[in-house]
Amino acid sequence: MALIIDWLVQGFQMLLVLALCPLLIGFVRKVKARLLRRRGASVLQPYRDLRRLLLKEVVLAESASWLFRVVPYLVFSAVWVAAALVPTFASGLAFNWTADLIAIVALLGSARFFLALAGLDVGASFGGIGSSREMMIASLAEPAMLMMVFTLSLLAGTTQLSSVAQYLLTDGVGLRVSLLLAMLALFIVAIAENGRIPVDNPATHLELTMVHEAMVLEYSGRHLALIELAAALKLTLYLSLLACVFTPWGMAEAQAGWSAYLLGLLAYLAKLAVGGFLLAVFETGIAKMRVFRVDEFLGAALMLGLLGILLLFVSRSL
Amino acid sequence: MPLYWFLGPLAGLLGVGCYALVGSRRPRSDAIVYGISFLCSVLALGASLTHLLTAPAASTLTLPLGLPWSGVHLRVDALSAFFLVIVNLGGAVTSWYGLGHGRHEQAPERVLPFFPAFLAAMNLVLLADDAFTFLLTWEFMSLMSWALVMAHHRQAGNAHAGYVYLLMAGMGTMALLLAFGVLAGADGGYHFADMRAGLLSQQAAALVLVLTLVGAGSKAGLFPLHVWLPLAHPAAPSHVSALMSGVMTKVAVYGFMRIVFDLLGEPAWWWGAVVLALGAVTAVLGVLYALMQHDLKRLLAYHTVENIGIIFIGLGLALAFQANYLNDGAALALSAALFHVFNHSLFKSLLFLGSGSVLSATGERDMERLGGLIHRMPWTALAFLIGSAAISALPPLNGFVSEWLTFQAILISPELPQWLLKFLVPAVGAALALSAALAGACFVKAFGITFLGRPRTPAAAQAEETDTRSLTALFVLAALCVLAGILPGLVIDALAPVVASLNGAVRLAAQASQPWLTLVPLAEAKNSYNGMLVLLFIVFSGFLSALLIHRLASRDARRGSAWDCGFPDDNPAGQYTAGSFAQPIRRMFGSVVFQARERVDMPAPGDLRPARMTVSLRDPAWDYGYLPLIQVVNTVAGRLNHLQFLTVRRYLTLVFSALILLLLGLAIWR
């Protein structure tokens, strides 16, 4: 029975992140629009966009290879698997032992690797510019993310995300300098990896802001829908990760019972809403930076992460 | 497995090498040489695998050859059996590849005699059990590979590559010779058993460590001794490049492990710090060098430098743990290093063989003149893609597993008490993470520019898929990359006797008994990873989404011209190139490390000549290491030059005073 419940929770979690992620995007867009004193589209607009894209035919460039057609599915499933392994409303997921935090980071890396390859596949200049910049950003963001992972696992004694969440939830960790540094690092990485302002602008197709949008410029129809969905999943994943690690309150423990699960779900929705709201406020309040300033921004994240680990190597109580 | 099982294949390899000396001009001689090399490698592979998996006691043999008072001692134990597996697996696959690829060889008489001899030499290094045999076979290995590097000696740059390689190899062997001299001590016990039993003072042991780092490190490609490697590896024929990069560097790692972990006795903690620092610098600089290259084979060779750095990070951690008697941690770090040795031999051989297929199909190594090969060579492209993903440490392939293990070893290192290590290890962890991320960028560039996009030259547009034998070799390696990635527990169990033999009988817990074949290196931390399930989940959700979308939404596709924001450019020169892909990273890291400078020569308005951009890079290893050294040597040689033109009287005076000085020195020292 316990096993069945665990599997059910895991399955529900997989569907939950998939179902929620367009809503999160719509919510962030709505808040941004309201902050700019526009009315904005409905929060359900991303769902309509996805449906429209899914029903359209795909137009492939003549120089596109089989890789171009496979990559959307690969990227989507890698990100989905990664998102399914981040605890949202309940810790102790049934398959949490399959991949730990390092593996989740690397799964996102796989998705990025193949998307960057797809950007080069057609042989148009915009795809290349996007791939090249995406890999530049990743070359600093991924180590910074790993530094954050190290900080957490040095504190909790494990790299298993569910165990980390359990530890932070129950053991009264309190305020730690290293955790604060790790949170800042993760926040910066989340901004960069999801292509938000100030690193990239998800709302424009202007050449100078083009990273993610340029990379996927040649995609259309269902392929584009999958890639947009994967991007939304990735944003949800990062917000869930921030919520699960730094604000674990309300999350249900393993086999806690239905009421705890419901409470956890409500808490998770509230955390996502707050996270999305803060993201929109941050994005509205800051200007896009030049591409070659991004390395300083991300270098700061790397250094903060490294500092966090150094503190933990020196003393376990910092 | 008794040792004489290896003697047959070795005799076969040496014999067919001798045959090729006289018969390489005959028709079908390449089939004979590569066929027999393949058979011998498979036999030796079977023998070494059996030895590794059944883990019997070490088997020894003394041949009445060599020095009259000692003979040639051979021995196979767990450590040498593991490296024998790597050498002979690489040997078998490259020989099979050679069966197809060898037809393209312009000068077979310069390749065929040396190829089997090179394989035999690497086997012999691993079997040697006394310093004399080890050094002799090591030098034989260097010379045979040098001959193969010089196979195409008329091509520009190859003669220089061979010259640099010969110098570095000679210096490395000299350092190893001195290391063995110190190990043998005044009594001169050159048998490895005598060295193992002997006790060294701390200073002497430190000296041996440094000499071994120079000797084995120069062969493996540790920074700053790597300079010969990106010159020599690409110069050789591609299947030999695969052997040199994928396998010979591992023989060098074996030399380091044999001396430092086996013969030298108990390590001091700072040994770990030195090896860790060297490994981290090598890893980061290696991948940065690789990112700056446009030559596909040279990029791969530089990337070997990075992977050697990762291996040495694992070895350094193991030394640090062992010095503090934390043998569980050492077992984890050693397993990580050995696993990466195995992985790198797989994917680097795969990538070099793939680049060989590209080279023979197009005649080009320069990525700026390739592109679009995925359409013309789909199978080579698929194998190369698997290799690229594996080397970029992407789950669920094998490169990720060894990096994951190395990260796990770093995460338990706060237990190390020394302060220097407490500061060094996190920095090493950051360097490792950085090099892993940069490796991803590097292989997006390598695969993306070479195989994707549109062909940049007619040669690339008219490439033909390579032959089936070469493809088989590529796909055997690709399949092994996938298998080692999804069943890492089996590899770790096979490595366990090696780890135990170097680590005071402490090894990782048996992995094969874990449920679902999950990898759980340390039971108490409960860190686990299951590549098979990750692969299953990805395949399942990918197929599920594809099925649902094709059934419920749309499945129409139409071909049209590229969108490219409305202005598609028909000229393939408008695509992103290798140089432009690496430009952001060159600006970020290269401006510091390589003093990268971009100079734009923009013609004045009305002037019709094209604008030009030139990029200049400086190599710190040459600028600050070798060029000053060469200058010093030249200056000293110039000063001493006049000694050649003295009169007989003066020479006699010199000889006489040297004699007196030596006698005086002896008298004072006594």
Side-chain angles (χ1 to χ4, degrees):
Chain A
M1 188 60 197
L3 189 69
I4 295 173
I5 292 182
D6 273 353
W7 281 58
L8 275 179
V9 169
Q10 176 75 63
F12 180 67
Q13 137 110 17
M14 268 189 105
L15 294 179
L16 178 76
V17 283
L18 190 61
L20 271 185
C21 62
L23 184 67
L24 178 67
I25 296 283
F27 178 72
V28 173
R29 282 191 196 151
K30 185 82 177 172
V31 175
K32 274 173 85 173
R34 300 301 300 181
L35 285 172
L36 297 171
R37 303 192 63 103
R38 286 190 287 119
R39 187 176 284 153
S42 148
V43 289
L44 299 179
Q45 188 59 37
Y47 292 99
R48 295 184 197 131
D49 289 345
L50 283 175
R51 181 170 171 278
R52 177 174 52 86
L53 285 173
L54 279 173
L55 292 175
K56 280 190 160 187
E57 70 169 353
V58 164
V59 182
L60 288 167
E62 265 132 15
S63 48
S65 68
W66 57 267
L67 190 69
F68 191 75
R69 308 179 68 163
V70 174
V71 161
Y73 298 98
L74 251 174
V75 168
F76 169 72
S77 43
V79 175
W80 194 21
V81 170
L85 292 168
V86 177
T88 53
F89 65 96
S91 67
L93 294 170
F95 282 106
N96 64 18
W97 46 270
T98 309
D100 62 352
L101 249 178
I102 300 177
I104 291 174
V105 176
L107 269 175
L108 294 177
S110 296
R112 183 193 314 115
F113 182 86
F114 283 103
L115 202 56
L117 282 185
L120 288 168
D121 187 50
V122 169
S125 43
F126 281 103
I129 206 172
S131 299
S132 158
R133 287 178 178 178
E134 176 88 358
M135 292 321 281
M136 167 196 77
I137 290 170
S139 71
L140 281 176
E142 195 176 288
M145 177 90 175
L146 277 175
M147 293 298 103
M148 188 277 316
V149 173
F150 283 9
T151 308
L152 290 181
S153 54
L154 285 173
L155 265 179
T158 171
T159 49
Q160 214 51 270
L161 189 50
S162 277
S163 316
V164 172
Q166 193 81 20
Y167 172 83
L168 295 171
L169 189 58
T170 51
D171 284 23
V173 183
L175 287 173
R176 301 281 190 107
V177 185
S178 50
L179 265 184
L180 179 75
L181 295 176
M183 188 173 79
L184 280 176
L186 179 59
F187 180 70
I188 295 178
V189 171
I191 297 275
E193 286 278 24
N194 287 296
R196 315 300 298 193
I197 301 173
V199 174
D200 189 8
N201 190 345
T204 69
H205 274 251
L206 275 176
E207 182 192 335
L208 292 176
T209 60
M210 279 187 140
V211 183
H212 182 84
E213 295 299 325
M215 196 164 50
V216 304
L217 190 70
E218 298 295 331
Y219 273 112
S220 57
R222 55 180 184 271
H223 294 159
L224 186 60
L226 276 175
I227 285 172
E228 301 255 301
L229 196 58
L233 266 173
K234 199 162 148 190
L235 180 65
T236 318
L237 182 152
Y238 273 95
L239 283 188
S240 308
L241 190 60
L242 276 164
C244 135
V245 170
F246 300 107
T247 56
W249 310 296
M251 190 189 290
E253 292 177 27
Q255 281 130 39
W258 297 113
S259 55
Y261 283 145
L262 196 63
L263 190 71
L265 192 59
L266 289 177
Y268 174 63
L269 289 177
K271 282 183 239 174
L272 268 195
V274 172
F277 181 77
L278 289 179
L279 177 67
V281 172
F282 179 78
E283 275 199 288
T284 320
I286 198 161
K288 165 85 179 63
M289 75 179 53
R290 279 176 57 215
V291 172
F292 287 106
R293 294 285 304 283
V294 169
D295 56 337
E296 294 166 21
F297 186 61
L298 284 167
L302 184 59
M303 285 304 126
L304 287 174
L306 187 58
L307 197 60
I309 312 182
L310 271 176
L311 288 177
L312 284 177
F313 263 80
V314 172
S315 157
R316 278 297 171 103
S317 58
L318 280 169
Chain B
M1 186 64 56
L3 221 163
Y4 48 78
W5 277 80
F6 292 100
L7 296 183
L10 281 178
L13 286 171
L14 289 173
V16 80
C18 291
Y19 158 77
L21 273 179
V22 289
S24 56
R25 275 290 183 190
R26 288 183 202 154
R28 306 301 299 152
S29 62
D30 59 332
I32 296 174
V33 171
Y34 289 123
I36 293 182
S37 303
F38 174 73
L39 282 181
C40 293
S41 301
V42 168
L43 283 179
L45 174 65
S48 43
L49 256 184
T50 320
H51 193 282
L52 187 64
L53 295 178
T54 55
S59 149
T60 58
L61 189 70
T62 310
L63 296 179
L65 300 169
L67 295 182
W69 61 90
S70 76
V72 168
H73 298 270
L74 301 179
R75 180 168 179 269
V76 56
D77 59 2
L79 180 64
S80 42
F82 169 68
F83 281 91
L84 280 168
V85 169
I86 287 178
V87 167
N88 289 306
L89 181 63
V93 174
T94 46
S95 305
W96 187 260
Y97 182 86
L99 276 175
H101 184 75
R103 293 184 284 112
H104 303 291
E105 187 55 58
Q106 303 292 324
E109 74 278 6
R110 295 187 190 278
V111 177
L112 292 182
F114 306 113
F115 181 80
F118 179 39
L119 284 178
M122 288 195 286
N123 272 302
L124 280 167
V125 172
L126 301 176
L127 290 172
D129 196 31
D130 64 90
F132 178 73
T133 316
F134 186 93
L135 288 171
L136 198 69
T137 50
W138 180 276
E139 197 59 12
F140 184 48
M141 172 180 85
S142 301
L143 279 177
M144 289 304 108
S145 51
W146 172 78
L148 289 163
V149 167
M150 295 295 281
H152 303 155
H153 63 110
R154 290 191 203 282
Q155 281 175 21
N158 285 6
H160 176 240
Y163 175 64
V164 174
Y165 178 31
L166 203 60
L167 276 184
M168 294 299 287
M171 187 202 68
T173 312
M174 189 184 74
L176 282 181
L177 179 77
L178 294 176
F180 280 123
V182 177
L183 270 170
D187 305 331
Y190 285 103
H191 194 264
F192 279 173
D194 298 337
M195 295 183 180
R196 226 171 262 136
L199 282 175
L200 286 184
S201 69
Q202 273 194 349
Q203 291 83 356
L207 188 61
V208 173
L209 177 79
V210 173
L211 287 170
T212 314
L213 275 174
V214 174
S218 67
K219 192 60 114 199
L222 275 183
F223 183 85
L225 302 169
H226 69 279
V227 287
W228 65 274
L229 194 147
L231 298 173
H233 286 190
S238 297
H239 56 309
V240 178
S241 310
L243 272 185
M244 290 180 75
S245 228
V247 177
M248 189 175 71
T249 53
K250 309 306 175 299
V251 176
V253 172
Y254 164 82
F256 180 81
M257 291 182 76
R258 175 62 78 193
I259 294 176
V260 173
F261 282 85
D262 187 19
L263 303 182
L264 201 47
E266 215 166 90
W269 68 267
W270 61 265
W271 298 8
V274 170
V275 176
L276 268 173
L278 271 178
V281 171
T282 306
V284 174
L285 285 182
V287 68
L288 282 177
Y289 274 118
L291 267 163
M292 301 300 134
Q293 306 306 315
H294 303 166
D295 178 327
L296 185 57
K297 285 180 78 176
R298 183 166 292 178
L299 179 147
L300 293 175
Y302 268 120
H303 215 268
T304 299
V305 175
E306 186 225 348
N307 281 280
I308 289 296
I310 296 175
I311 293 168
F312 273 85
I313 287 176
L315 294 178
L317 279 173
L319 281 174
F321 282 123
Q322 277 189 352
N324 290 301
Y325 305 104
L326 299 166
N327 280 26
D328 287 330
L332 179 56
L334 267 179
S335 304
L338 289 172
F339 204 145
H340 202 75
V341 164
F342 176 62
N343 288 342
H344 184 247
S345 80
L346 292 180
F347 43 61
K348 190 48 64 74
S349 304
L350 167 58
L351 292 169
F352 260 117
L353 295 184
S355 72
S357 296
V358 170
L359 181 60
S360 57
T362 62
E364 282 294 343
R365 273 164 39 179
D366 187 353
M367 292 193 281
E368 310 282 37
R369 301 174 56 79
L370 293 169
L373 291 178
I374 195 170
H375 301 283
R376 307 285 307 183
M377 311 172 71
W379 295 107
T380 309
L382 179 62
F384 201 94
L385 178 64
I386 295 175
S388 304
I391 203 170
S392 312
L394 302 183
L397 297 173
N398 59 349
F400 174 69
V401 183
S402 43
E403 293 217 3
W404 186 81
L405 286 170
T406 314
F407 281 134
Q408 297 293 347
I410 287 175
L411 285 174
I412 52 171
S413 53
E415 292 175 31
L416 296 169
Q418 287 85 11
W419 280 96
L420 178 65
L421 288 175
K422 276 187 192 296
F423 285 104
L424 186 62
V425 174
V428 170
L432 185 59
L434 188 65
S435 66
L438 287 170
C442 184
F443 277 92
V444 167
K445 169 178 149 173
F447 183 81
I449 303 295
T450 310
F451 286 96
L452 302 178
R454 289 171 290 157
R456 292 180 176 82
T457 51
Q462 281 142 27
E464 291 292 334
E465 180 61 282
T466 185
D467 56 291
T468 32
R469 288 209 183 102
S470 306
L471 277 181
T472 331
L474 290 178
F475 274 96
V476 166
L477 289 171
L480 283 173
C481 281
V482 176
L483 280 179
I486 61 178
L487 301 170
L490 302 184
V491 180
I492 289 195
D493 283 354
L495 290 177
V498 188
V499 173
S501 72
L502 299 177
N503 195 31
V506 179
R507 46 168 281 182
L508 290 183
Q511 303 289 323
S513 55
Q514 295 287 343
W516 298 82
L517 289 172
T518 306
L519 192 59
V520 190
L522 294 175
E524 62 268 24
K526 295 194 288 292
N527 295 333
S528 55
Y529 165 71
N530 192 322
M532 191 171 52
L533 279 182
V534 169
L535 180 66
L536 272 181
F537 286 158
I538 290 180
V539 169
F540 172 73
S541 45
F543 269 102
L544 185 74
S545 49
L547 190 75
L548 285 179
I549 287 173
H550 281 222
R551 275 287 160 85
L552 302 177
S554 79
R555 52 188 310 169
D556 305 335
R558 181 161 57 90
R559 291 272 174 180
S561 56
W563 160 231
D564 209 15
C565 273
F567 297 96
D569 181 7
D570 283 337
N571 186 355
Q575 301 176 79
Y576 244 51
T577 60
S580 44
F581 186 88
Q583 189 255 1
I585 291 177
R586 189 173 67 224
R587 251 180 100 156
M588 253 163 62
F589 297 100
S591 54
V592 183
V593 180
F594 304 118
Q595 297 170 25
R597 298 286 177 269
E598 291 170 3
R599 211 177 22 258
V600 179
D601 173 25
M602 187 67 75
D607 191 351
L608 293 180
R609 77 198 154 86
R612 293 203 171 276
M613 190 179 92
T614 39
V615 177
S616 64
L617 295 172
R618 311 216 42 119
D619 184 338
W622 281 101
D623 274 9
Y624 302 113
Y626 294 94
L627 292 179
L629 188 71
I630 291 169
Q631 203 163 13
V632 168
V633 170
N634 276 342
T635 319
V636 172
R639 287 279 163 76
L640 293 180
N641 191 26
H642 73 269
L643 285 182
Q644 290 186 352
F645 309 104
L646 302 183
T647 56
V648 175
R649 240 174 337 138
R650 292 225 173 144
Y651 277 125
L652 283 176
T653 323
L654 274 179
V655 169
F656 191 60
S657 46
L659 192 65
I660 287 181
L661 272 177
L662 283 176
L663 285 173
L664 261 179
L666 199 64
I668 294 166
W669 186 53
R670 274 293 162 110

